[in-house]
Amino acid sequence: MGLQEQKQHFSVNLLDWYMVNRRDLPWRRHNNPYFTWVSEIMLQQTRVDTVIPYFNRFIGNFPTVQALAEAPEEDVLKNWEGLGYYSRARNLQAAARQVMELHGGEMPQDKPAVFALKGVGPYTAGAILSIAFNQPQPAVDGNVMRVLSRYFLIDEDIMKGSTRVLMEELAGELIPEGRARDFNQALMELGALVCTPKAPHCLTCPVMEQCSGRIAGRELTLPVKTKAKPPRPEQRLVAIVEGRGAHRGQVLVRQRPDTGLLARMWELPHVLAAPAAASKKAAPLADEPAMALLAGSLWAEGFAARPEGLATHAEHVFSHIVWSLQVYKCTEQDQSSELPLIAAEARAAYDAQAATREGTASLSAVSPESDTMHSSEPGTPNAQNISTSLNDGEMLMSSSDVSDLALSTPTLTGKGDGLTYRWIGPEDMDKMAFPNIFLKLISSYFAGAYDQVND
């Protein structure tokens, strides 16, 4: 069978299979360009099963482009909570405003206009145009490149731009006339359900008979893909500062800057310890110098707190950074306490240990591509371990919650970093937004998980 016949075999059999086996997904029930657009943005880096409830809630709250464009950003991000890669939500709303301003609220149907929307790349543009408008545009993502690499035995590195161009041209040639909507979804479905990354189900594949990769025994070695650079490891020391007096029953939190990683998210105060060697995970610091560094960093921000002992170890995984967290329970102190002297005396111990630790880390970094929970550092007998995997941001408060919180909880400004700090109680947890790891740590504290710690 020649190449043209192989292409015909692929298109015909794939479509026949899809019409019988396609999943019933909420965004497939309507040829609504806005629904297609939202679903494709949500599905980036995220599993279908995870997206479904978020999609239903998001569309329920923002049923039209206009509703999304006019909503407070805080409300949009709150509805995105848990999906990760929060720049997607911000870009989606910015693009909705573009559609309102430039296209009268109607999704454009030409590729340059769709591609010009914020957050829309070649794949998303192709998916919107083909699925929503049935235009013969290729929609090539990692799943599609995997399928095509195997079926046509393509040895080119899929991380290269030239390979993507090749795949887009090939995918475009495979689209049957008038069937772009079904074909592109069928191709995505095949990659998600059958031609999976590590264990392809070749015996149930509708195009197995002419799959060149399977015939050559290469289905497990394709596609060719350059390994991504491992995430940078960072050892961080985290303070759960327990309030006293007027702040009894509360803990100290701070808000991150308006831009950058985890923008405007709330978190527990934390400080970077000695950096690990390249591509290695740093070993935990000894408690004495770690607590000294924490006390000193809090004092520099205008807060006196005495570390009482290790509460837990935790890990927070981004696509490009891995935070290994040592979490210490601390107690608020009077500003006239001797805490600064304690911190200064112990700083020498910290510096000495940091010098000996340089280049000695031996554990491997966690892969940023994993969707599963990651192993934490081994804890002390009384320390629990918490691990999460996140991306570039989390939800924010709704506008009404901001007003309520501002009235009930005064803000403080850090003397050194200029960040906003607050004392919060458990009643504030449903009004504020934290990266998942800090949400878990604070919730565990209020649940009494760290009542007993080791000095």
Side-chain angles (χ1 to χ4, degrees):
M1 180 179 286
L3 179 58
Q4 192 58 41
E5 290 79 7
Q6 188 184 22
K7 292 179 180 179
Q8 182 70 13
H9 175 87
F10 183 89
S11 299
V12 171
N13 286 276
L14 179 60
L15 275 173
D16 289 345
W17 170 83
Y18 175 70
M19 301 313 293
V20 175
N21 295 279
R22 62 182 174 182
R23 289 172 290 182
D24 179 22
L25 302 176
W27 47 88
R28 288 179 176 169
R29 298 170 189 166
H30 313 274
N31 290 327
N32 184 317
Y34 173 62
F35 290 6
T36 300
W37 178 24
V38 171
S39 69
E40 289 299 332
I41 298 297
M42 286 187 170
L43 287 165
Q44 294 171 7
Q45 307 286 341
T46 311
R47 295 188 181 105
V48 168
D49 291 345
T50 300
V51 166
I52 290 174
Y54 285 96
F55 174 85
N56 289 334
R57 182 178 66 180
F58 195 90
I59 293 300
N61 290 325
F62 313 111
T64 64
V65 174
Q66 182 175 356
L68 176 59
E70 295 177 351
E73 182 185 89
E74 294 83 358
D75 291 349
V76 175
L77 294 174
K78 184 176 180 66
N79 279 268
W80 205 274
E81 179 187 12
L83 276 178
Y85 292 95
Y86 282 79
S87 60
R88 294 181 299 172
R90 293 186 178 94
N91 289 341
L92 180 62
Q93 184 176 40
R97 290 168 177 163
Q98 286 180 270
V99 172
M100 292 301 300
E101 295 171 3
L102 302 176
H103 306 288
E106 297 292 331
M107 177 65 70
Q109 299 187 34
D110 60 288
K111 191 169 185 177
V114 174
F115 191 73
L117 297 176
K118 192 172 181 62
V120 174
Y123 164 77
T124 305
I128 293 170
L129 292 171
S130 62
I131 297 172
F133 302 112
N134 204 29
Q135 294 184 17
Q137 295 288 343
V140 175
D141 64 357
N143 284 337
V144 170
M145 286 194 284
R146 181 174 63 254
V147 171
L148 297 182
S149 292
R150 289 171 175 170
Y151 185 79
F152 292 101
L153 193 57
I154 298 173
D155 277 313
E156 301 297 324
D157 184 351
I158 64 171
M159 298 299 288
K160 294 182 178 179
S162 58
T163 305
R164 172 174 287 277
V165 172
L166 170 66
M167 296 288 190
E168 289 176 344
E169 293 176 352
L170 178 57
E173 294 171 359
L174 294 170
I175 299 174
E177 185 176 355
R179 301 295 302 278
R181 173 181 294 120
D182 290 332
F183 178 81
N184 278 351
Q185 291 185 97
L187 193 49
M188 299 171 195
E189 201 85 327
L190 187 69
L193 301 181
V194 179
C195 197
T196 52
K198 295 182 180 179
H201 308 291
C202 293
L203 294 180
T204 61
C205 178
V207 296
M208 64 167 289
E209 291 182 3
Q210 297 301 323
C211 178
S212 297
R214 182 193 65 82
I215 294 171
R218 295 284 310 282
E219 67 273 15
L220 296 180
T221 62
L222 291 171
V224 175
K225 182 179 180 180
T226 302
K227 290 185 178 180
K229 183 179 179 180
R232 181 178 75 252
E234 290 185 355
Q235 191 78 14
R236 289 186 172 266
L237 310 174
V238 181
I240 301 179
V241 183
E242 186 175 51
R244 299 171 62 188
H247 302 139
R248 184 174 299 279
Q250 299 180 320
V251 296
L252 184 68
V253 298
R254 71 183 182 193
Q255 189 175 35
R256 293 182 66 84
D258 290 342
T259 59
L261 187 70
L262 302 171
R264 298 192 298 279
M265 301 296 294
W266 292 88
E267 64 183 5
L268 291 168
H270 56 96
V271 61
L272 178 65
S279 303
K280 301 294 182 181
K281 185 186 293 183
L285 265 65
D287 287 341
E288 182 180 354
M291 291 192 294
L293 182 58
L294 260 186
S297 67
L298 288 166
W299 182 264
E301 294 306 311
F303 302 100
R306 178 183 295 277
E308 304 293 347
L310 181 68
T312 187
H313 288 277
E315 192 167 79
H316 195 54
V317 182
F318 301 91
S319 58
H320 61 299
I321 305 174
V322 177
W323 284 355
S324 293
L325 307 177
Q326 290 173 238
V327 185
Y328 291 89
K329 186 176 178 181
C330 307
T331 303
E332 181 187 13
Q333 300 291 304
D334 188 281
Q335 287 286 344
S336 62
S337 71
E338 297 180 354
L339 191 63
L341 179 60
I342 296 171
E345 291 174 344
R347 179 65 196 225
Y350 166 76
D351 289 340
Q353 188 188 37
T356 60
R357 290 174 62 246
E358 186 175 350
T360 62
S362 60
L363 297 177
S364 298
V366 178
S367 169
E369 298 177 355
S370 174
D371 288 324
T372 59
M373 304 299 280
H374 300 270
S375 299
S376 300
E377 295 282 2
T380 61
N382 289 334
Q384 303 174 30
N385 293 302
I386 298 177
S387 176
T388 66
S389 177
L390 282 179
N391 304 302
D392 63 345
E394 291 285 352
M395 69 163 210
L396 302 173
M397 296 175 285
S398 68
S399 55
S400 60
D401 287 339
V402 171
S403 299
D404 292 343
L405 192 62
L407 291 173
S408 63
T409 311
T411 61
L412 307 165
T413 301
K415 293 181 178 179
D417 56 25
L419 297 179
T420 297
Y421 289 77
R422 294 183 190 274
W423 289 96
I424 66 165
E427 68 278 3
D428 297 311
M429 294 300 291
D430 61 348
K431 302 175 183 178
M432 304 176 68
F434 300 84
N436 282 353
I437 187 62
F438 294 112
L439 181 63
K440 291 181 179 181
L441 290 169
I442 298 171
S443 298
S444 294
Y445 166 78
F446 284 131
Y450 310 134
D451 286 348
Q452 300 295 324
V453 298
N454 289 332
D455 281 325

